[in-house]
Amino acid sequence: MAADPIQRLVRELARLPGIGEKSATRLAMHLVRSPKPQVRELAQALIDATEQIGLCSVCMTLTADDPCRLCADPRRELETLCVVAQPSDVIAIERGGHFRGRYHVLHGVLAPLDGIGPDDLRIAELVRRLAPSDAPAVTEIIVATAPTVEGEATAMYLARLLKPLGPRVTRIATGLPVGGDLEYSDQATIGRALAGRTAL
Ligand code: ZN
């Protein structure tokens, strides 16, 4: 027997981050009562976004164009790379408007207890960007992972791995609330964290 359509909708919505059973039910009720063209537009937007978005082959962020807008921008400095855990961190730092370099997205942080090691992150792609090429060499890598145990461990691991390859490796100041995500930090805090970075 096919699942009840409303139950099915609630179940799918409840899979989304930050959406519990109660919110999922409320959203489902709202959607089934909404004008059909509006719901169709939402469904199409979901399909289009998920089908058209992929990873930038340079910085690994989520993008509809490859390379992404930031990697393709000739005004961005090639010498400085900011390493972040998630694509949402790129958006947060860009919102701050202080950073003129380029990014590299790891898609997570090292978490041995959860079985997440270096091979599960986009670290090999980062190392590849440091290989000699015609472009100006990367002289500084700013590690902007969150000041959590995993974020710090990831920063230390990257410093050990990358320093022998040439660039200075720095860490953003822990002006961010401990355990806080860049995603939720305000512009001034992000600016201070970047300005107060220290060598690893
Ligand atoms: Zn990119």
Side-chain angles (χ1 to χ4, degrees), residues 56-61 67-71:
C56 170
S57 59
V58 181
C59 73
M60 302 288 132
T61 199
C68 73
R69 186 178 53 81
L70 290 166
C71 287

Side-chain angles (χ1 to χ4, degrees), residues 106-163:
L106 297 173
H107 290 271
V109 284
L110 294 176
L113 295 178
D114 298 323
I116 299 171
D119 294 343
D120 300 305
L121 306 178
R122 301 292 180 159
I123 292 176
E125 289 86 348
L126 173 58
V127 171
R128 214 180 302 141
R129 293 179 74 178
L130 303 180
S133 71
D134 295 336
V138 174
T139 54
E140 182 178 358
I141 293 178
I142 305 169
V143 185
T145 49
T148 57
V149 174
E150 289 87 358
E152 297 294 350
T154 307
M156 294 321 256
Y157 176 87
L158 289 177
R160 249 192 344 260
L161 178 74
L162 303 176
K163 275 201 282 189

